[in-house]
Amino acid sequence: MAPPSESGADALLPDLPKGPLQAYRSCASFCWKELALFLEGEDVLRLKKTIFSTLENDPLFAHSGEELCLEKCRELNFLRCQRLLELSFLSMEDMVASPVLVQTLIASLGMYDWSLGIKFLLHMLTFGSAIYSSGSERHLKYLPKIFNMEIFGCFAVTELSHGSNAKAVRTTAHYDPTTEEFIIHTPDFEAAKFWVGNMGKTATHAVVFAQLYTPGGQCHGLHSFVVQIRDPKTLLPMPGVMVGDMGKKLGLNGVDNGFAMFHKVRIPRQDLLNRTGDVTPEGTYVTPFKDDKQRFGASLGTLSFGRVTIVGMSIVNLKLAVSIALRFSATRCQFGPTDGEEVPVLEYQMQQWRLLPYLAAIYALDHFSKLLFLDLAELQQGLAGTDHSARQAELGREIHALASAGKPLASWTAQRGIQECREACGGHGYLAVNRLGDLRNDNDPNCTYEGDNNVLLQQTSSYLLSLLARHIQGGARIESPLRTVDFLEAYPDILGRRFTCPSVDSCLDSAVPLAAYEWLVCYLLRESHQKLMQEKRSGSNDFEARNNSQVYYCRPLALAFLELTVVRRFHEYTHQPHVPPGLRAVLGRLSALYALWSLSQHTALLYQGGYFSGERAGKMIQNAILELCSKLKDDAVALVDVIAPPDFVLDSPIGRADGELYKNLWTAVLLESKVLERPSWWAEFSIRKPSMGSLKPKL
């Protein structure tokens, strides 16, 4: 199709190289440049192009192909992070004014290398954002020092014996009014800060979460403090601080995860990040919030930032893997209708069914991720503007619920998708140079850090159950600032619905699975509530009742609610009036495929609850999924062109944009493994090895 007429399109999106992939590109039903401009906008595309071209042209970021030792890996990553700060792709003002550009910067760096992206993210955004959003005017002095790397930061919540249960961390901060200082202390080694990114070798300062105590011994719960842990000039630990590196991990070894223990380390009173609570010089605790629940809800934004970011990180990993696998599938020919003919493996229904739902998931989850990032920015800007309203606290609770289920859904989808891509590329997918193994390893911690996925889902289900309980007990309306739960107001009526689609064609719109998802969430909410009540009637206390209601009730409730939210937001986006006519069909198919594919994983529950009846309903969903895969097959390469970074960044011979699969792979293997050279250790081995005669057994 013809390229879009918008000025600057060709400059922002240069034509892709000609080659074997051109066969599929010429079959696409839409213009990939038009879709990229519609989804991203010129500002985002311009920033991505600037970042990618800068990295490619700077020798410091060249791909060496050598496996570095841990120390060299950390050193190179730190030098690259330093260069990024010198390059200053975004100013402090840009970051505040345009959150979408911040998300673009993170994703672009992650596409190149998540060790670099995470190191930069932890310093600039996790550490910096915590100070900006949780602190006040007295803490603004730290921001210029962060940008010019005068200090280097980390974010310390997790402890050796406490991870997901953040409320139970045991590091303490006792206030001493005689010196107007907090005393940061680690009571024992189990309370050591642990797994903290950047802390191992390079961080000079940390945002440390500790239990705040005022004189008299009253504990006011978890608060955050800015604590210097190293001398910026020498990188030696500060007095009273024991800090070290945790060593090699399964992946992301450019990030120096570390531990720290504090022995009665004194910090000024002003280094308490005091947005949600403060201590007067005399030792009185003050907070602008009416109750602890509101204060905690407002403070959730800081914890939610990491989880919201991980949603985007997971999607980036899936984008890279699917780009590699689909370009491979479009050029890898195997078998055919006759002995002398071979067809691309993408033509096989099995390959389409394995990969195209993940392509649709990328588009749906990416849209959700962008909106959630903007929602979080709104929350943080409200806090920075001293908005302590009930709506602000409720917005914090809702975003916390969305992030707590969003991270599991995105990271698990990426985990499964990357593995499917690896297998879909056969043996070539197992070759390290093609990057799928690194993507799998680098994505894996997304399922764990910032909260174990299964534990986090309990936050979301608890949020939904609390809304239902308030509705049942006091008749309160079920509503939220972002309106993600407003449909529950029709809870009894929705439970009366049944699947009524007359044909497969009628299922090819995401409105059908959207209605099914509303029923599914209402059903699981009712079942989870009834299960909790049954457990309590049987004598279980609250802890036991909740524990016994997770596996088949609360866990699927949280996932189904988040899937519904993703489906609804993408459905509304793809069906809005200003979608260009040439993009409506492909976006509608992506929306429907993601929704139906996700819904199909709950088929047993849809039958169990009575929404489906008879075998026809299940078969109709299956046939609709296959029909959509078939319709999207010719668009797959063009859809990949929209999301794939340049070849230098993608860094996968089998995923290059020219589609010269075998030539690129052969060249990479020759360069990578030095196959024509004798092993370097052979000469020494041949001198030392015993003669064959001496190895004969004696009779």
Side-chain angles (χ1 to χ4, degrees), residues 474-547:
R477 284 185 60 84
I478 301 180
E479 57 186 357
S480 61
L482 301 177
R483 304 186 64 187
T484 60
V485 300
D486 288 15
F487 74 99
L488 292 172
E489 188 65 22
Y491 167 80
D493 294 335
I494 291 173
L495 283 172
R497 296 178 186 169
R498 294 296 180 266
F499 182 75
T500 56
C501 268
S503 66
V504 170
D505 284 346
S506 63
C507 291
L508 301 182
D509 188 288
S510 45
V512 172
L514 180 58
Y517 259 118
E518 287 188 345
W519 178 91
L520 179 63
V521 172
C522 289
Y523 170 72
L524 286 167
L525 183 59
R526 183 190 70 187
E527 294 295 296
S528 298
H529 175 73
Q530 290 179 352
K531 173 65 173 173
L532 280 166
M533 295 301 103
Q534 174 194 332
E535 288 289 333
K536 290 178 180 178
R537 285 194 299 270
S538 301
S540 298
N541 58 34
D542 283 349
F543 178 82
E544 292 168 337
R546 291 161 71 90
N547 185 46

Side-chain angles (χ1 to χ4, degrees), residues 370-390:
K370 290 172 182 175
L371 290 185
L372 187 59
F373 198 88
L374 293 175
D375 294 335
L376 180 61
E378 178 194 340
L379 173 68
Q380 292 183 329
Q381 287 170 4
L383 288 172
T386 65
D387 182 354
H388 302 136
S389 64

